[in-house]
Amino acid sequence: MTLERTQAGAATLPKNLAANPLLSSWVSVHADGIVDVRVGKVELGQGILTALAQLAADELDMDLTQVRMLPANTANGPDEGLTSGSMSIAESGAAVCLVAANVRALFVCEAARRWQVAATQVTVQAGLIASPQAPETTSYAALADAVDLEVAADAGVPVKTPEQRRVAGTSAARLDLPDKVAGRARFIHDLRLPGQLFGRVVRPPSPGAQLVAVDASAVAGLEVQVVRDGSFLGVVGADEAVAVRAVEALRSSTTWDERDTLPDEDDLDTFLRAGPHETIPVVQDDPGARPDVMGLRATYSRPFIAHASMAPSCGVAWWQTDGDLAVWSHSQGIHHLRDAIAQAVNLDGRSVTVEHAEGAGCYGHNGADDAAFDAVLLARAVRGRPVQVQWNRRDELSWSPFGSAMTADVEATVDESGRLTSWTYDVWSQGHTARPGYAGTPGLLAATHLEQPWTYPAPTDPPTARGSGTTRNAVPIYDVPHRRVTGHRLVETPIRSSALRALGAYLNVFAIESFMDELAQLVGQDPLAYRLAHLDDERGRRVLQKAAGVAGWGQNRPEGLGVGMGFARYKDRGAYCAVVAEVEAVHDIRVRRLTIAVDVGQVVNPDGVRNQIEGGATQATSWTLKERVRFDRRRVTSDDWESYPILLFSEAPQIDVEIVSSPGLPSVGAGEAAQGPTAAAIANAVADATGVRVRDLPLTAPAVVAAIESEHR
């Protein structure tokens, strides 16, 4: 989180501020002394608005209680793109710091002008502006009418150094938690607007199914309006419970044309490799002459994974009688959603406003955008009345985009000392983004069900500048002289996949770090020592050694208890994260403890970093041990918590997070750093405990038993 500079050394605006340079887009000062701060990043439960408020409070020299963070809104506020990729602190943090510093400078200059003193003689504390030469203090509130914020930010205004900050760097209490803990209305599901109606949608029974007929008499006597447009079918009514009953009755009175479109769920490796593909060359080193002594090769895989958000997706839309459209959504990209909605229903984007409202559970591109568009279509039928649409659990687990299945081949050679001499890595995947607006299409579920339907192109990958998708973290961090790393992205698929926390990094780090353990075993070396022998990155070494030291690496363990480690630098430029897992593998697989060390550069909120790492590691444990989307050749069959189990509270491991300080270095995000290292640490611990290697996720007890039986054949 630092100011960018040109080659000549002059400061330039941070990227997000350069795109939204007016101070008034970011900040408003009120007569009651409260300063409103608007950002384009959204609160997803990661605590980002608290961290950004801390930065703003420091630059304004105000207390945190004097800063109010407003929800992102396309009509008033900056467009900062997506809240994704653990980039909010790096991108929005730099912008907020400079904006707040500019605002403070303008108010100080106005006070200095009135008092006829130099600006350097003016101080600000807790929002009060003073000078030894002034007869009395003033404030942001008192000067609000005199200071014009309709000006562009000045990149030359200095921001505080980490040492000068008073609020940032501390574990300030989260701004969003009091309402959630007390059960007060905060989530989009709680939103109630004047005259609000409730809608529900009848989903097709399978991807590609088309609605042939519907008997609307099934809802006769229920006070609902049936809405149909092609294969899009729903109901709207004033009573939510009635709408729920009506949509269930309507579902049983529909006829659909279905066909087999899905691949063999038990042979995803063949499906992913069959193509056609886009080939993505990442590293293509000249192999040269190598003193190879021996080699190793292995294949690793993961299945499709669901978001499995705790609260089903929800959206609200209000189609005004004058043609304007207001939408509320827990989308990660409200500006993208606005443009996609406008495209799908043929509106001028300027007539559509989207405001963010918090949802419960978001780890990428889940059903939030789709639920919002459902609400738009139903609200179009009852113009002038807002409509809320909430998905059910079946919708959420069947129709939200999945995280793509992946498979990877790894091959390496070593010399007589065991040192790596070459590394070859090929990874196959679907794309990892189908967010609204991708590939020139709306990318919204219901848009493909309309009478005049939009189509779904195959999912794409983010550009390399944003970390890629299929090949995210596909290049090992270790020192290997000759490397070839290649991605293979499917360009035709019947399964909708999109961004799920960490994208391809989860599988790639799992594969790389599992393979490093297998190589260490091959050459008879300790896994930690083997990694350190191939790692020159000092920050990485510190993180690895910290996690190992706290976990007691190398100590004797009881029989049946295994230990393993995993390590990566997220997106090769983000947070360093090392995980040591303790796993019990006797009657079942149970992760007892995760010891995690993380380096995120300059820390804004230590407790926030720990929360993010703990959350990511807990979710990764669930993915690694349990989660797998199930389907037959026609339908998704894992559509409830029984068929799609997730980690139980009673199964959650003890997690200890150690923050390795790097003060003065740019701040990076923590939300996705733990996914891959946690999976690899657990897999390596299972191998340590059982003596067999399971390379296909999830690591279920039957999979381990099968591996043991295979070893003894």
Side-chain angles (χ1 to χ4, degrees):
M1 189 178 59
T2 56
L3 287 180
E4 300 175 12
R5 295 189 175 273
T6 63
Q7 290 183 345
T12 60
L13 294 176
K15 179 184 69 173
N16 288 11
L17 185 51
N20 308 271
L22 287 182
L23 299 179
S24 58
S25 297
W26 300 79
V27 170
S28 299
V29 180
H30 297 282
D32 61 0
I34 298 296
V35 173
D36 284 345
V37 177
R38 292 176 292 275
V39 294
K41 301 298 184 181
V42 300
E43 182 61 59
L44 305 168
Q46 80 281 43
I48 191 60
L49 294 189
T50 301
L52 294 176
Q54 289 178 260
L55 294 171
D58 269 336
E59 294 297 339
L60 292 165
D61 282 317
M62 302 186 79
D63 293 335
L64 191 58
T65 56
Q66 296 172 293
V67 175
R68 178 168 55 205
M69 303 299 293
L70 298 181
N73 186 297
T74 59
N76 47 66
D79 179 358
E80 294 192 87
L82 296 169
T83 304
S84 65
S86 295
M87 294 300 295
S88 293
I89 287 294
E91 294 179 345
S92 194
V96 166
C97 283
L98 189 54
V99 165
N102 269 259
V103 171
R104 180 190 185 280
L106 290 175
F107 276 82
V108 164
C109 285
E110 175 59 22
R113 184 192 66 78
R114 293 188 178 196
W115 293 330
Q116 296 184 339
V117 300
T120 55
Q121 295 178 305
V122 177
T123 61
V124 185
Q125 185 174 359
L128 293 178
I129 304 172
S131 173
Q133 287 75 35
E136 58 186 17
T137 62
T138 186
S139 65
Y140 284 102
L143 299 178
D145 291 339
V147 176
D148 183 13
L149 297 182
E150 290 287 330
V151 296
D154 179 357
V157 174
V159 299
K160 286 182 167 60
T161 64
E163 295 74 23
Q164 293 172 320
R165 291 175 181 155
R166 180 177 53 87
V167 184
T170 68
S171 293
R174 287 264 295 270
L175 302 177
D176 58 315
L177 288 186
D179 286 346
K180 295 172 182 176
V181 171
R184 290 188 286 266
R186 186 177 184 96
F187 294 115
I188 187 170
H189 311 74
D190 305 314
L191 184 62
R192 295 294 182 268
L193 299 171
Q196 180 170 298
L197 302 175
F198 298 91
R200 291 294 189 273
V201 174
V202 178
R203 295 278 166 230
S206 60
Q210 293 185 322
L211 181 59
V212 176
V214 57
D215 181 4
S217 66
V219 295
L222 297 177
E223 295 185 5
V224 294
Q225 178 176 339
V226 177
V227 179
R228 180 181 177 183
D229 185 337
S231 292
F232 176 80
L233 180 66
V235 299
V236 184
D239 187 307
E240 186 173 15
V242 171
V244 172
R245 291 201 303 271
V247 83
E248 291 303 321
L250 205 59
R251 180 177 287 111
S252 63
S253 67
T254 55
T255 303
W256 298 85
D257 176 22
E258 291 187 83
R259 60 202 66 191
D260 292 347
T261 61
L262 302 180
D264 183 353
E265 192 235 326
D266 294 317
D267 192 12
L268 292 177
D269 188 87
T270 297
F271 164 69
L272 291 169
R273 294 170 189 259
H277 296 107
E278 174 198 10
T279 301
I280 310 167
V282 182
V283 177
Q284 306 289 318
D285 289 345
D286 180 4
R290 304 189 304 267
D292 302 336
V293 173
M294 55 182 150
L296 186 68
R297 66 177 60 188
T299 297
Y300 304 86
S301 73
R302 82 171 212 188
F304 287 98
I305 304 174
H307 282 81
S309 299
M310 293 305 295
S313 295
C314 183
V316 179
W318 193 344
W319 205 307
Q320 311 290 338
T321 54
D322 63 4
D324 287 347
L325 176 61
V327 178
W328 289 261
S329 173
H330 50 117
S331 169
Q332 286 187 308
I334 60 171
H335 289 82
H336 291 70
L337 177 59
R338 175 199 61 190
D339 295 343
I341 289 172
Q343 181 184 26
V345 295
N346 196 28
L347 284 178
D348 186 324
R350 291 171 295 184
S351 66
V352 181
T353 300
V354 180
E355 178 169 303
H356 185 264
E358 289 183 50
C362 180
Y363 320 106
H365 177 198
N366 64 2
D369 304 279
D370 298 322
F373 189 58
D374 290 343
V376 167
L377 293 177
L378 294 180
R380 182 171 61 178
V382 289
R383 291 177 185 254
R385 302 283 297 274
V387 175
Q388 182 198 74
V389 172
Q390 183 173 309
W391 284 17
N392 61 26
R393 181 61 53 196
R394 184 193 311 163
D395 294 338
E396 195 68 36
L397 290 173
S398 300
W399 287 102
S400 283
F402 299 133
S404 176
M406 300 178 69
T407 187
D409 291 342
V410 198
E411 183 175 359
T413 57
V414 297
D415 62 19
E416 60 185 8
S417 70
R419 188 164 186 85
L420 282 163
T421 55
S422 71
W423 184 283
T424 303
Y425 189 85
D426 285 271
V427 57
W428 288 263
S429 175
Q430 296 193 165
H432 290 261
T433 184
R435 292 183 183 274
Y438 86 108
T441 69
L444 297 166
L445 176 63
T448 66
H449 299 151
L450 300 177
E451 183 69 31
Q452 297 182 337
W454 293 85
T455 58
Y456 276 142
T460 61
D461 275 335
T464 302
R466 294 198 65 84
S468 306
T470 300
T471 57
R472 181 169 293 185
N473 276 99
V475 179
I477 193 173
Y478 304 104
D479 304 319
V480 187
H482 305 291
R483 302 173 300 175
R484 184 182 65 77
V485 177
T486 309
H488 310 271
R489 180 181 67 86
L490 274 179
V491 295
E492 293 179 5
T493 174
I495 300 177
R496 185 186 184 206
S497 61
S498 194
L500 178 62
R501 202 174 198 172
L503 280 65
Y506 173 65
L507 183 278
N508 289 327
V509 174
F510 163 71
I512 291 168
E513 288 294 290
S514 295
F515 198 63
M516 285 296 288
D517 257 41
E518 295 199 55
L519 285 166
Q521 182 179 23
L522 176 71
V523 300
Q525 296 186 26
D526 173 76
L528 173 61
Y530 196 67
R531 285 170 170 80
L532 292 174
H534 290 86
L535 185 63
D536 287 336
D537 188 313
E538 283 303 319
R539 291 175 70 185
R541 292 175 66 87
R542 286 199 303 272
V543 167
L544 261 173
Q545 291 167 330
K546 184 67 171 180
V550 174
W553 184 265
Q555 297 177 359
N556 291 330
R557 308 283 177 179
E559 186 176 351
L561 184 68
V563 294
M565 65 173 46
F567 166 69
R569 185 181 189 187
Y570 185 54
K571 293 198 291 190
D572 305 316
R573 59 180 182 272
Y576 294 83
C577 183
V579 180
V580 176
E582 293 181 10
V583 171
E584 186 180 280
V586 180
H587 303 294
D588 202 349
I589 300 171
R590 183 179 182 88
V591 180
R592 291 176 43 167
R593 181 187 178 200
L594 298 173
T595 303
I596 307 176
V598 61
D599 178 350
V600 297
Q602 185 69 44
V603 177
V604 176
N605 187 311
D607 191 51
V609 172
R610 291 188 181 92
N611 288 341
Q612 283 289 278
I613 294 296
E614 289 174 5
T618 300
Q619 184 178 46
T621 301
S622 183
W623 288 353
T624 304
L625 298 184
K626 291 175 174 284
E627 297 189 39
R628 178 184 183 182
V629 174
R630 310 308 299 255
F631 48 87
D632 55 28
R633 301 307 292 265
R634 181 168 293 185
R635 301 182 180 186
V636 173
T637 57
S638 51
D639 59 1
D640 57 27
W641 292 130
E642 296 297 320
S643 53
Y644 191 90
I646 62 174
L647 199 70
L648 303 176
F649 281 109
S650 60
E651 298 169 320
Q654 174 186 335
I655 301 178
D656 302 308
V657 178
E658 298 288 333
I659 298 176
V660 179
S661 180
S662 289
L665 292 178
S667 299
V668 294
E672 298 169 296
Q675 304 300 110
T678 298
I682 294 172
N684 290 332
V686 169
D688 182 50
T690 64
V692 297
R693 174 70 58 174
V694 180
R695 301 185 181 92
D696 301 311
L697 297 172
L699 306 177
T700 61
V704 174
V705 170
I708 293 173
E709 292 174 346
S710 177
E711 284 278 318
H712 291 87
R713 282 176 188 162

